[in-house]
Structure formats: structure tokens, C-alpha cells
Amino acid sequence: MTTDPNLLLLERIRWGMNVCDSEHQPIGRVVKVYRAATYGAPPPAASPTEIEPYLEVERAGSGTRLFVPIGSLSDVTGDCVVLNITWDQVDRMGWEQRPDYLQDPPGEG
């Protein structure tokens, strides 16, 4: 049985952790983890067949939110979620737009 390394990283992420770029420059902090994102019923036609877990990150300084797919993480240290890109690449990723298929679990919002 193989375990997805990204899911192992996900297990180490906590609310409020710092999020840093690949050079350990601060980006923001984790405000929500979408571990098992759901489509709702019925799923939108443009939705992928599987939803990768996401982190919702409050960006330092601006308070804007980023929706970071777990595939963009390279490591989780004791105090920081480390991305696999540099700080200057973050703005080009389109993470400011919350994916339509991400929905809060029942009881959250």
C-alpha cells in the first residue's frame, strides 16, 4: 500500500501555521484546510473528477485569501508550510480565485 506524500504533508498542517515560499520568505498563514473537498450535489460540469486538498491562506499584509492546492507544497516544517515556488511567482498562480467546486463542510462557513 502506498501513501500519497502530499497527504502525509497535509496531516502535519495546523490552523495558524505560517506559509512560506521555497526560500522560506513569509507568504501568510493557514486559515482553513480543505482536506476532503466536496462538489455539492450535483457536481458542476467543469469540476475535476477528483478534488485535491487545498489550503486557504490569509496573505500577510493584505489580508487577501489564497487557495493553494496541496500539490504546490514541498514540505511542512515545525512552524512553516513551505511552497514549491518563490514569493514572486505566487501572484502568477491564480490562487486568489476560490475554485467553484470548493465547498465548506457542513457546519462551517
Coordinates of all heavy atoms in Angstrom, one line a residue, residues 10-86:
L10 N -0.1 16.9 4.5 CA -1.4 17.5 5.0 C -1.7 17.2 6.4 O -2.2 18.1 7.2 CB -2.5 17.0 4.1 CG -3.9 17.6 4.3 CD1 -3.9 19.1 3.9 CD2 -4.9 16.8 3.4
E11 N -1.3 16.0 6.9 CA -1.5 15.6 8.3 C -0.7 16.5 9.3 O -1.1 16.5 10.4 CB -1.2 14.1 8.4 CG -2.2 13.2 7.7 CD -3.6 13.5 8.1 OE1 -3.9 13.6 9.3 OE2 -4.5 13.5 7.2
R12 N 0.3 17.1 8.8 CA 1.2 17.9 9.7 C 0.8 19.4 9.7 O 1.4 20.2 10.5 CB 2.6 17.7 9.3 CG 3.0 16.3 9.5 CD 4.4 15.9 8.9 NE 5.4 16.9 8.8 CZ 6.3 16.9 7.8 NH1 6.4 15.9 7.0 NH2 7.2 17.9 7.7
I13 N -0.2 19.8 8.9 CA -0.6 21.2 8.9 C -1.6 21.5 9.9 O -2.6 20.8 10.1 CB -1.1 21.5 7.4 CG1 0.0 21.3 6.4 CG2 -1.7 22.9 7.4 CD1 -0.5 21.4 5.0
R14 N -1.4 22.6 10.6 CA -2.3 23.1 11.6 C -2.8 24.5 11.3 O -2.1 25.3 10.6 CB -1.7 23.2 13.0 CG -1.1 21.8 13.5 CD -0.4 21.9 14.8 NE 0.6 23.0 14.9 CZ 1.8 23.0 14.4 NH1 2.2 22.0 13.7 NH2 2.6 24.1 14.6
W15 N -4.0 24.9 11.7 CA -4.5 26.2 11.6 C -3.6 27.2 12.2 O -3.0 26.9 13.3 CB -5.9 26.3 12.3 CG -6.5 27.7 12.2 CD1 -7.3 28.2 11.2 CD2 -6.3 28.7 13.1 NE1 -7.6 29.5 11.4 CE2 -7.0 29.8 12.6 CE3 -5.7 28.9 14.3 CZ2 -7.1 31.1 13.3 CZ3 -5.7 30.1 15.0 CH2 -6.4 31.2 14.5
G16 N -3.3 28.3 11.5 CA -2.5 29.4 12.0 C -1.0 29.2 11.7 O -0.2 30.1 12.0
M17 N -0.6 28.1 11.1 CA 0.8 27.9 10.7 C 1.2 28.9 9.7 O 0.4 29.4 8.8 CB 1.0 26.5 10.1 CG 1.1 25.4 11.1 SD 1.5 23.8 10.4 CE 3.3 23.9 10.4
N18 N 2.4 29.3 9.7 CA 3.0 30.2 8.7 C 3.1 29.5 7.3 O 3.3 28.3 7.3 CB 4.4 30.7 9.1 CG 4.3 31.6 10.3 OD1 3.5 32.4 10.4 ND2 5.3 31.4 11.2
V19 N 2.9 30.2 6.3 CA 3.1 29.7 4.9 C 4.3 30.5 4.3 O 4.2 31.7 4.3 CB 1.9 29.8 4.1 CG1 2.1 29.3 2.6 CG2 0.7 29.0 4.7
C20 N 5.3 29.8 3.8 CA 6.5 30.4 3.3 C 6.7 29.9 1.9 O 6.3 28.8 1.5 CB 7.7 30.0 4.1 SG 7.5 30.4 5.9
D21 N 7.5 30.7 1.1 CA 7.9 30.3 -0.2 C 9.0 29.3 -0.2 O 9.5 28.9 0.9 CB 8.2 31.5 -1.1 CG 9.5 32.2 -0.8 OD1 10.2 31.8 0.2 OD2 9.9 33.1 -1.6
S22 N 9.5 28.9 -1.3 CA 10.6 27.9 -1.3 C 11.9 28.4 -0.7 O 12.8 27.6 -0.4 CB 10.8 27.4 -2.8 OG 11.2 28.5 -3.6
E23 N 12.0 29.7 -0.5 CA 13.2 30.3 0.1 C 12.9 30.7 1.5 O 13.7 31.4 2.1 CB 13.7 31.4 -0.8 CG 14.1 31.0 -2.2 CD 14.5 32.1 -3.1 OE1 14.1 33.3 -2.8 OE2 15.2 31.9 -4.1
H24 N 11.8 30.2 2.0 CA 11.4 30.5 3.4 C 11.0 31.9 3.7 O 11.1 32.4 4.8 CB 12.4 29.9 4.4 CG 12.5 28.4 4.4 ND1 11.7 27.6 5.1 CD2 13.3 27.6 3.6 CE1 12.0 26.3 4.8 NE2 12.9 26.3 3.9
Q25 N 10.6 32.7 2.7 CA 10.1 34.0 2.8 C 8.6 33.9 3.2 O 7.9 33.1 2.5 CB 10.3 34.8 1.5 CG 11.7 35.0 1.1 CD 12.5 35.8 2.2 OE1 12.1 36.8 2.7 NE2 13.7 35.2 2.5
P26 N 8.1 34.7 4.2 CA 6.7 34.5 4.6 C 5.7 35.0 3.5 O 5.9 36.0 2.9 CB 6.6 35.4 5.8 CG 7.8 36.3 5.8 CD 8.9 35.6 5.0
I27 N 4.7 34.2 3.3 CA 3.6 34.5 2.4 C 2.3 34.9 3.2 O 1.6 35.8 2.9 CB 3.3 33.3 1.5 CG1 4.5 32.9 0.7 CG2 2.1 33.6 0.6 CD1 4.9 33.9 -0.4
G28 N 2.0 34.1 4.3 CA 0.8 34.3 5.1 C 0.7 33.2 6.1 O 1.7 32.7 6.6
R29 N -0.6 32.9 6.5 CA -0.8 31.9 7.5 C -2.1 31.1 7.1 O -3.0 31.6 6.4 CB -1.0 32.5 8.9 CG -2.2 33.3 9.0 CD -2.4 33.9 10.4 NE -3.6 34.6 10.5 CZ -4.8 34.1 10.9 NH1 -4.9 32.8 11.2 NH2 -5.8 34.8 10.9
V30 N -2.1 29.8 7.5 CA -3.2 28.9 7.2 C -4.4 29.3 8.0 O -4.3 29.5 9.2 CB -2.8 27.5 7.5 CG1 -4.0 26.5 7.3 CG2 -1.6 27.0 6.7
V31 N -5.5 29.5 7.3 CA -6.8 29.8 8.0 C -7.8 28.7 7.8 O -8.8 28.6 8.6 CB -7.4 31.2 7.6 CG1 -6.5 32.3 8.0 CG2 -7.7 31.2 6.1
K32 N -7.6 27.8 6.8 CA -8.5 26.7 6.7 C -7.8 25.6 5.8 O -7.1 25.9 4.9 CB -9.8 27.1 6.0 CG -10.9 26.0 5.9 CD -12.2 26.5 5.3 CE -12.9 27.3 6.4 NZ -14.3 27.7 5.9
V33 N -8.1 24.4 6.1 CA -7.7 23.2 5.3 C -8.9 22.5 4.8 O -9.7 22.1 5.5 CB -6.8 22.3 6.2 CG1 -6.3 21.1 5.4 CG2 -5.6 23.0 6.8
Y34 N -8.9 22.4 3.5 CA -10.0 21.6 2.8 C -9.4 20.2 2.5 O -8.8 20.0 1.5 CB -10.4 22.3 1.5 CG -11.0 23.6 1.6 CD1 -10.2 24.8 1.6 CD2 -12.4 23.7 1.8 CE1 -10.8 26.0 1.8 CE2 -13.0 25.0 1.9 CZ -12.2 26.1 1.9 OH -12.8 27.3 2.1
R35 N -9.6 19.3 3.5 CA -9.0 18.0 3.4 C -9.8 17.1 2.5 O -9.2 16.4 1.7 CB -9.0 17.3 4.8 CG -8.1 18.0 5.8 CD -8.1 17.3 7.1 NE -7.4 18.1 8.1 CZ -6.0 18.1 8.2 NH1 -5.3 17.4 7.4 NH2 -5.4 18.9 9.1
A36 N -11.1 17.2 2.5 CA -11.9 16.3 1.7 C -12.9 17.2 1.0 O -14.1 17.3 1.4 CB -12.5 15.2 2.5
A37 N -12.5 18.0 0.1 CA -13.4 19.0 -0.6 C -14.5 18.2 -1.3 O -14.3 17.1 -1.8 CB -12.6 19.8 -1.6
T38 N -15.7 18.8 -1.2 CA -16.8 18.2 -1.9 C -17.4 19.1 -2.9 O -17.2 20.3 -2.9 CB -17.9 17.9 -0.9 OG1 -18.3 19.1 -0.2 CG2 -17.5 16.9 0.2
Y39 N -18.0 18.5 -3.9 CA -18.6 19.3 -5.0 C -19.9 19.9 -4.7 O -20.4 20.8 -5.3 CB -18.8 18.4 -6.2 CG -17.6 17.8 -6.9 CD1 -17.2 16.5 -6.8 CD2 -16.7 18.6 -7.6 CE1 -16.1 16.0 -7.4 CE2 -15.6 18.1 -8.2 CZ -15.3 16.8 -8.1 OH -14.2 16.3 -8.7
G40 N -20.6 19.3 -3.8 CA -22.0 19.6 -3.6 C -22.8 18.6 -4.5 O -22.2 17.8 -5.1
A41 N -24.1 18.8 -4.6 CA -24.8 17.9 -5.4 C -25.7 18.7 -6.3 O -26.5 19.5 -5.8 CB -25.7 17.0 -4.5
P42 N -25.7 18.4 -7.5 CA -24.8 17.6 -8.3 C -23.5 18.4 -8.5 O -23.5 19.6 -8.4 CB -25.5 17.3 -9.6 CG -26.3 18.5 -9.8 CD -26.8 19.0 -8.4
P43 N -22.4 17.7 -8.9 CA -21.2 18.4 -9.1 C -21.3 19.2 -10.4 O -21.9 18.8 -11.3 CB -20.1 17.2 -9.3 CG -20.9 16.0 -9.5 CD -22.3 16.2 -9.0
P44 N -20.6 20.4 -10.4 CA -20.6 21.2 -11.6 C -20.0 20.5 -12.7 O -19.0 19.7 -12.5 CB -19.8 22.5 -11.2 CG -19.8 22.4 -9.7 CD -19.9 21.0 -9.3
A45 N -20.4 20.7 -13.9 CA -19.9 20.0 -15.1 C -18.4 20.3 -15.3 O -17.7 19.4 -15.8 CB -20.7 20.5 -16.4
A46 N -17.9 21.4 -14.9 CA -16.5 21.7 -15.2 C -15.6 21.2 -14.0 O -14.4 21.5 -14.1 CB -16.3 23.3 -15.3
S47 N -16.1 20.5 -13.1 CA -15.3 20.1 -11.9 C -14.4 18.9 -12.3 O -14.8 18.1 -13.2 CB -16.3 19.6 -10.8 OG -17.0 20.7 -10.3
P48 N -13.3 18.9 -11.7 CA -12.4 17.7 -12.0 C -13.0 16.5 -11.3 O -13.9 16.6 -10.5 CB -11.1 18.1 -11.3 CG -11.5 19.1 -10.2 CD -12.7 19.8 -10.8
T49 N -12.6 15.3 -11.8 CA -13.2 14.1 -11.2 C -12.7 13.8 -9.8 O -13.4 13.2 -9.0 CB -12.8 12.8 -12.1 OG1 -11.4 12.8 -12.2 CG2 -13.5 12.9 -13.4
E50 N -11.5 14.3 -9.4 CA -11.0 14.2 -8.0 C -10.6 15.6 -7.6 O -10.0 16.3 -8.4 CB -9.8 13.3 -7.9 CG -10.2 11.8 -8.2 CD -9.0 10.9 -8.0 OE1 -8.1 11.2 -7.1 OE2 -8.9 9.9 -8.7
I51 N -10.9 15.9 -6.4 CA -10.5 17.2 -5.9 C -9.3 17.1 -4.9 O -9.4 16.4 -4.0 CB -11.7 17.9 -5.1 CG1 -12.9 18.1 -6.0 CG2 -11.2 19.3 -4.5 CD1 -14.1 18.7 -5.3
E52 N -8.3 17.8 -5.3 CA -7.1 17.8 -4.5 C -7.3 18.6 -3.3 O -8.0 19.6 -3.3 CB -6.0 18.3 -5.4 CG -4.8 19.0 -4.8 CD -3.8 19.5 -5.8 OE1 -4.2 20.1 -6.8 OE2 -2.7 19.2 -5.6
P53 N -6.8 18.3 -2.1 CA -7.0 19.1 -0.9 C -6.3 20.5 -1.1 O -5.4 20.6 -1.9 CB -6.2 18.4 0.2 CG -6.2 16.9 -0.3 CD -6.1 17.0 -1.8
Y54 N -6.9 21.5 -0.5 CA -6.5 22.9 -0.6 C -6.2 23.5 0.8 O -6.8 23.1 1.7 CB -7.5 23.7 -1.3 CG -7.5 23.7 -2.8 CD1 -8.0 22.6 -3.5 CD2 -7.1 24.8 -3.5 CE1 -8.0 22.6 -4.9 CE2 -7.1 24.8 -4.9 CZ -7.6 23.7 -5.6 OH -7.6 23.7 -6.9
L55 N -5.3 24.5 0.8 CA -5.2 25.3 2.0 C -5.7 26.7 1.6 O -5.5 27.2 0.5 CB -3.7 25.5 2.3 CG -2.9 24.3 2.6 CD1 -1.5 24.7 3.0 CD2 -3.5 23.5 3.8
E56 N -6.4 27.3 2.6 CA -6.8 28.7 2.4 C -5.9 29.4 3.3 O -5.7 29.2 4.5 CB -8.3 28.9 2.9 CG -8.8 30.3 2.7 CD -10.3 30.4 3.0 OE1 -11.0 29.4 3.0 OE2 -10.7 31.6 3.3
V57 N -5.2 30.4 2.7 CA -4.1 31.2 3.3 C -4.5 32.6 3.3 O -4.8 33.2 2.3 CB -2.8 30.9 2.5 CG1 -1.7 31.8 3.1 CG2 -2.4 29.5 2.5
E58 N -4.4 33.2 4.5 CA -4.5 34.7 4.6 C -3.1 35.3 4.3 O -2.2 35.0 5.0 CB -5.0 35.1 6.0 CG -5.2 36.6 6.1 CD -5.8 37.0 7.4 OE1 -5.2 36.6 8.4 OE2 -6.8 37.6 7.5
R59 N -3.1 36.1 3.3 CA -1.8 36.7 2.8 C -1.4 37.8 3.8 O -2.2 38.6 4.2 CB -2.0 37.3 1.5 CG -0.7 37.6 0.8 CD -0.8 37.3 -0.6 NE 0.5 37.4 -1.2 CZ 0.8 37.6 -2.4 NH1 -0.2 37.7 -3.3 NH2 2.0 37.7 -2.8
A60 N -0.1 37.7 4.2 CA 0.5 38.7 5.1 C 0.4 40.1 4.5 O 0.6 40.3 3.4 CB 1.9 38.3 5.4
G61 N 0.0 41.0 5.4 CA 0.0 42.5 5.0 C -1.3 42.9 4.3 O -1.9 43.9 4.6
S62 N -1.9 42.1 3.4 CA -3.1 42.5 2.6 C -4.3 41.9 3.2 O -5.4 42.4 2.9 CB -2.9 42.1 1.2 OG -3.0 40.7 1.0
G63 N -4.2 40.7 3.8 CA -5.4 40.0 4.3 C -6.2 39.3 3.2 O -7.2 38.7 3.5
T64 N -5.7 39.4 2.0 CA -6.4 38.7 0.9 C -6.2 37.2 1.1 O -5.3 36.7 1.8 CB -5.9 39.1 -0.5 OG1 -4.5 38.8 -0.5 CG2 -6.2 40.5 -0.8
R65 N -7.1 36.4 0.5 CA -7.1 34.9 0.7 C -6.5 34.3 -0.6 O -6.8 34.7 -1.7 CB -8.5 34.4 0.9 CG -9.1 34.9 2.2 CD -8.4 34.4 3.4 NE -8.8 35.1 4.6 CZ -9.6 34.5 5.6 NH1 -10.0 33.3 5.4 NH2 -9.9 35.2 6.7
L66 N -5.7 33.3 -0.4 CA -5.1 32.5 -1.4 C -5.7 31.0 -1.2 O -5.8 30.6 -0.1 CB -3.6 32.4 -1.4 CG -2.9 33.8 -1.5 CD1 -1.4 33.6 -1.3 CD2 -3.2 34.4 -2.9
F67 N -6.0 30.3 -2.3 CA -6.4 29.0 -2.3 C -5.3 28.1 -2.9 O -5.2 28.1 -4.1 CB -7.8 28.8 -3.0 CG -8.8 29.6 -2.2 CD1 -9.1 30.9 -2.5 CD2 -9.5 29.0 -1.2 CE1 -10.0 31.7 -1.8 CE2 -10.5 29.7 -0.4 CZ -10.7 31.1 -0.8
V68 N -4.5 27.5 -2.1 CA -3.3 26.8 -2.5 C -3.6 25.3 -2.6 O -3.9 24.7 -1.6 CB -2.2 27.1 -1.6 CG1 -0.9 26.4 -2.0 CG2 -1.9 28.6 -1.4
P69 N -3.4 24.7 -3.8 CA -3.6 23.3 -3.9 C -2.4 22.6 -3.2 O -1.3 23.0 -3.2 CB -3.6 23.0 -5.4 CG -2.9 24.2 -6.0 CD -3.1 25.3 -5.1
I70 N -2.7 21.4 -2.6 CA -1.7 20.7 -1.8 C -0.5 20.3 -2.7 O 0.7 20.2 -2.2 CB -2.2 19.5 -1.0 CG1 -1.2 19.1 0.0 CG2 -2.7 18.5 -2.0 CD1 -1.8 18.1 1.0
G71 N -0.7 20.1 -4.0 CA 0.4 19.8 -4.9 C 1.5 20.8 -5.0 O 2.5 20.6 -5.6
S72 N 1.2 22.0 -4.5 CA 2.1 23.1 -4.5 C 3.0 23.3 -3.3 O 3.7 24.2 -3.1 CB 1.4 24.5 -4.8 OG 0.7 24.4 -6.0
L73 N 2.9 22.3 -2.4 CA 3.7 22.3 -1.2 C 4.9 21.4 -1.4 O 4.9 20.4 -2.1 CB 2.9 21.7 0.0 CG 1.5 22.3 0.3 CD1 0.9 21.6 1.5 CD2 1.6 23.8 0.4
S74 N 6.0 21.8 -0.7 CA 7.2 21.0 -0.8 C 7.6 20.4 0.5 O 8.2 19.3 0.6 CB 8.4 21.8 -1.4 OG 8.8 22.8 -0.4
D75 N 7.1 21.0 1.6 CA 7.5 20.5 2.9 C 6.6 21.2 4.0 O 6.0 22.2 3.7 CB 9.0 20.8 3.3 CG 9.5 19.9 4.4 OD1 8.8 19.0 4.9 OD2 10.7 20.2 4.8
V76 N 6.6 20.5 5.1 CA 5.9 21.1 6.3 C 7.0 21.0 7.4 O 7.3 19.9 7.8 CB 4.6 20.5 6.7 CG1 4.0 21.1 8.0 CG2 3.6 20.6 5.6
T77 N 7.5 22.1 7.9 CA 8.5 22.1 9.0 C 7.7 22.2 10.3 O 6.5 22.3 10.3 CB 9.5 23.2 8.8 OG1 8.9 24.4 9.0 CG2 10.2 23.1 7.5
G78 N 8.4 22.4 11.4 CA 7.7 22.5 12.7 C 6.8 23.8 12.7 O 5.8 23.8 13.4
D79 N 7.2 24.8 12.0 CA 6.4 26.1 12.1 C 6.0 26.7 10.8 O 5.5 27.7 10.8 CB 7.2 27.1 12.9 CG 8.5 27.5 12.2 OD1 9.0 26.8 11.3 OD2 9.1 28.5 12.6
C80 N 6.3 26.0 9.7 CA 6.0 26.6 8.4 C 5.6 25.6 7.3 O 6.2 24.5 7.2 CB 7.3 27.3 7.9 SG 6.9 28.4 6.5
V81 N 4.6 25.9 6.6 CA 4.2 25.2 5.4 C 5.0 25.8 4.2 O 4.9 27.0 4.0 CB 2.7 25.3 5.1 CG1 2.3 24.6 3.8 CG2 1.9 24.8 6.3
V82 N 5.8 25.0 3.6 CA 6.7 25.5 2.6 C 6.2 25.2 1.2 O 5.9 24.0 0.9 CB 8.1 24.9 2.7 CG1 9.1 25.5 1.7 CG2 8.7 25.1 4.2
L83 N 6.0 26.2 0.4 CA 5.6 26.1 -1.0 C 6.7 25.7 -1.9 O 7.9 25.8 -1.6 CB 5.0 27.4 -1.5 CG 3.8 28.0 -0.7 CD1 3.4 29.3 -1.4 CD2 2.7 27.0 -0.7
N84 N 6.4 25.2 -3.1 CA 7.5 24.7 -4.0 C 7.8 25.8 -5.1 O 8.4 25.6 -6.1 CB 7.1 23.4 -4.7 CG 5.9 23.5 -5.5 OD1 5.3 24.5 -5.8 ND2 5.3 22.3 -5.9
I85 N 7.4 27.1 -4.8 CA 7.6 28.2 -5.7 C 8.2 29.4 -4.9 O 8.1 29.4 -3.6 CB 6.4 28.7 -6.5 CG1 5.3 29.1 -5.5 CG2 5.9 27.6 -7.4 CD1 4.1 29.8 -6.2
T86 N 8.7 30.4 -5.5 CA 9.2 31.5 -4.8 C 8.1 32.6 -4.7 O 7.1 32.5 -5.4 CB 10.4 32.2 -5.6 OG1 10.0 32.5 -6.9 CG2 11.6 31.2 -5.7

